[in-house]
């Protein structure tokens, strides 16, 4: 089996490599190709990747290359984990929206739109090149904003599934609190990428006992603290929102907070410099503890599980993925991309049935889905008015004066990445 990671020079990659090494019975990889145009980073990451495989006695071969076409040729699956513009662009995404009193964040709001505009054309070009060399390959997208990027891939007819680590992270936290094995917990996870709620936590599978009420009663304070939301809010909702819901439920408080501390981009950039220095140490043969602070926890386990299921291996039968709605949430278009539990196999994911979603959540899901459709139009076709329409539709923006101002700022900060600008 051959797997290719586009963006293989990312500091995330050793997390992924560690998962491939540990879980080789689930996903037996014979050749792993890391593709990245950043030669110096790729050399450091590739060297550590080979040492991790060697330490864990993985028989697979690791290849590094800047040649995308060669890297994806013959691949059974291609994982996308790229960041167009790097941490410098992320720094901008997290900064200029705050000047208008809006959340500055790399996956939602105006910053998230900027990232989508930079990313979608690049990802579609990569996907077309994958299709030319191997039309049967699966594309697993971990590149943010996952929902919009996955919708672009599916709309263009690619064999694509979107992946996020929010659900697996919550599953692991809930299992630790309840004293059970993570694989014994099934989450009733519903919504859009970075806009989800756990409406049930079931023991044993989709039909198992829902222990969410007990979880909240016994450990609600801990869960709330992790989400940085008030415990009474969780009690009133009776569900567990993704931590990204904090940008909606506490928008103004988050803006005040972001204005008074260094950006997450600055923190990550400093961390990446440390990590790359560590990766250059020839004695290092395991992922360093610092990597856990970088983000993307459990990404490797989710990626291995998904790839194994898609390629006919030993992956879990039910997994949280981003895929076409196809009537799962009846108030959304069939071609909307939702994030839910699905049965995953070689033919792709099939969403499990979802009980009717309370209007408190359905209204926000419908609103953000409309924004994502407009965002994709802007990413595919460009133009100031399309950018303005997407920003006007976003529930974190909404006012025309803000949308106008943010449109100009977005274009000014991203002109080098926008062919139409």
């Amino acid at each position: 089996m051959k797997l290719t990671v586009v963006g293989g020079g990312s500091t995330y990659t050793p997390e992924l490599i560690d998962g491939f090494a540990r879980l080789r019975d689930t996903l037996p990889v014979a050749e792993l190709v890391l593709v990245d145009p950043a030669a110096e980073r790729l050399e450091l990451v590739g060297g550590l990747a080979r040492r991790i495989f060697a330490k864990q006695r993985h028989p697979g071969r690791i290849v590094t290359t800047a040649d995308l076409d060669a890297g994806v040729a013959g691949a059974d699956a291609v994982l996308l984990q790229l960041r167009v513009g790097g941490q410098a662009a992320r720094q901008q995404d997290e900064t200029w929206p705050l000047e208008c009193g809006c959340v500055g964040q790399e996956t939602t709001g105006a910053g998230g739109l900027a990232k989508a505009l930079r990313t979608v054309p690049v990802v579609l070009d990569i996907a077309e090149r994958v299709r030319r060399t191997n039309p049967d390959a699966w594309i697993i997208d971990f590149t943010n904003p996952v929902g919009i990027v996955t919708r672009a891939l599916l709309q263009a007819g690619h064999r694509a599934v979107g992946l996020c680590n929010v659900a697996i992270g919550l599953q692991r936290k809930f299992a630790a609190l309840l004293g059970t094995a993570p694989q014994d917990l099934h989450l009733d996870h519903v919504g859009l990428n970075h806009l989800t709620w756990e409406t049930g936590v079931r023991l044993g599978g989709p039909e198992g006992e829902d222990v969410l009420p007990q979880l909240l009663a016994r450990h609600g304070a801990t869960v709330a603290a992790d989400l940085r939301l008030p415990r009474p809010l969780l009690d009133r909702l009776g569900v567990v929102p993704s931590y990204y819901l904090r940008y909606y439920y506490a928008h103004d408080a988050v803006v005040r907070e972001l204005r008074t501390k260094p950006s997450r981009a600055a923190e990550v950039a400093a961390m990446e410099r440390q990590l790359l220095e560590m990766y250059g140490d020839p004695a290092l043969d395991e992922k360093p503890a610092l990597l856990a602070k970088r983000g993307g926890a459990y990404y490797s386990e989710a990626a291995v599980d998904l790839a194994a299921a898609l390629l006919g291996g030993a992956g879990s039968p039910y997994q949280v993925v981003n895929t076409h709605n196809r009537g799962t949430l009846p108030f959304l278009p069939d071609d909307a991309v939702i994030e839910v539990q699905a049965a995953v196999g070689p033919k792709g994911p099939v969403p499990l049935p979802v009980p009717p979603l309370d209007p408190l959540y359905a209204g926000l899901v419908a609103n953000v889905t409309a924004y994502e459709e407009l965002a994709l139009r802007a990413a595919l076709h460009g133009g100031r008015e399309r950018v303005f329409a997407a920003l006007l539709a976003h529930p974190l923006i909404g006012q025309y004066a803000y949308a106008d101002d943010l449109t100009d700022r977005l274009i000014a900060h991203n002109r080098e990445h926008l062919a139409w600008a």
Side-chain angles (χ1 to χ4, degrees):
M1 182 183 298
K2 176 180 177 178
L3 297 187
T4 299
V5 180
V6 179
S10 168
T11 53
Y12 270 135
T13 299
E15 163 72 24
L16 188 61
I17 299 299
D18 178 74
F20 287 146
R22 288 186 295 102
L23 304 172
R24 55 183 172 271
D25 291 338
T26 302
L27 187 67
V29 178
E31 183 176 356
L32 179 63
V33 183
L34 307 180
V35 179
D36 203 295
E40 186 176 349
R41 288 172 64 106
L42 187 59
E43 181 181 357
L44 294 173
V45 172
L48 175 57
R50 293 186 183 96
R51 294 193 297 273
I52 291 173
F53 263 32
K55 180 180 183 180
Q56 301 199 32
R57 298 182 180 179
H58 192 294
R61 182 169 73 111
I62 294 178
V63 177
T64 58
T65 181
D67 187 335
L68 175 65
D69 294 322
V72 302
D76 296 288
V78 177
L79 283 69
L80 304 181
Q81 56 169 34
L82 56 148
R83 181 183 295 281
V84 180
Q87 293 298 333
R90 177 179 181 173
Q91 170 71 20
Q92 296 292 341
D93 294 343
E94 294 179 351
T95 303
W96 53 264
L98 293 173
E99 297 167 3
C100 298
C102 296
V103 160
Q105 212 276 332
E106 66 158 343
T107 63
T108 193
L113 177 60
K115 193 171 196 301
L117 298 183
R118 295 192 303 269
T119 304
V120 165
V122 174
V123 165
L124 290 179
D125 176 66
I126 293 169
E128 284 300 327
R129 292 161 75 172
V130 171
R131 181 151 55 188
R132 285 200 300 267
T133 60
N134 185 6
D136 294 327
W138 279 103
I139 296 176
I140 298 174
D141 178 62
F142 195 68
T143 296
N144 281 318
V146 168
I148 297 172
V149 172
T150 303
R151 187 167 182 173
L153 288 165
L154 291 173
Q155 184 172 293
H158 298 290
R159 303 183 81 205
V161 184
L163 180 64
C164 181
N165 69 321
V166 167
I168 193 171
L170 288 173
Q171 180 198 45
R172 297 304 194 265
K173 288 179 182 178
F174 295 166
L177 291 172
L178 294 169
T180 189
Q183 61 267 26
D184 292 338
L185 284 188
H186 177 95
L187 302 185
D188 291 343
H189 180 101
V190 61
L192 310 176
N193 180 241
H194 290 184
L195 193 86
T196 52
W197 298 264
E198 311 309 322
T199 59
V201 177
R202 300 186 181 275
L203 287 175
E207 305 301 323
E209 176 192 1
D210 182 11
V211 295
L212 178 57
Q214 296 98 300
L215 175 71
L216 290 176
R218 298 173 187 169
H219 306 288
T222 300
V223 174
D226 283 346
L227 300 173
R228 301 186 65 198
L229 287 169
R231 163 72 185 272
L233 175 62
L234 267 62
D235 291 337
R236 294 170 75 177
L237 296 177
V239 303
V240 177
S242 156
Y243 52 82
Y244 286 92
L245 266 297
R246 185 169 181 260
Y247 297 118
Y248 296 82
Y249 293 159
H251 176 274
D252 292 354
V254 171
V255 168
R256 289 192 296 270
E257 173 190 305
L258 293 175
R259 282 173 161 171
T260 59
K261 68 175 190 177
S263 69
R264 175 63 178 163
E267 294 175 355
V268 170
M271 204 177 302
E272 286 196 334
R273 289 190 291 271
Q274 290 180 263
L275 287 169
L276 289 170
E277 185 176 344
M278 292 177 180
Y279 295 171
D281 180 356
L284 183 67
D285 57 6
E286 60 186 12
K287 64 178 183 179
L290 178 62
L291 187 55
K293 298 181 180 180
R294 169 67 179 81
Y298 308 113
Y299 160 40
S300 62
E301 294 177 37
V304 168
D305 214 15
L306 178 55
L310 291 171
L311 299 174
S316 302
Y318 303 116
Q319 300 181 36
V320 173
V321 297
N322 285 260
T323 190
H324 268 151
N325 177 44
R326 293 198 185 94
T328 307
L329 299 179
F331 56 90
L332 296 183
D334 283 350
D335 65 348
V337 165
I338 59 174
E339 186 172 291
V340 291
Q341 287 277 6
V344 183
K347 293 184 178 180
V350 178
L352 300 184
V354 174
L357 199 57
D358 189 283
L360 180 60
Y361 315 117
L364 187 53
V365 168
N367 192 338
V368 175
T369 297
Y371 151 75
E372 290 190 347
E373 180 175 347
L374 293 167
L376 184 53
R377 290 182 192 174
L380 292 174
H381 306 295
R384 186 188 187 282
E385 287 308 304
R386 292 190 181 93
V387 175
F388 170 78
L391 290 169
L392 188 64
H394 201 295
L396 295 181
I397 299 165
Q399 298 182 55
Y400 76 87
Y402 286 170
D404 241 346
D405 192 351
L406 288 166
T407 297
D408 290 336
R409 292 173 189 265
L410 185 156
I411 294 171
H413 286 287
N414 291 276
R415 198 175 300 278
E416 65 180 295
H417 301 290
L418 307 176
W420 52 268

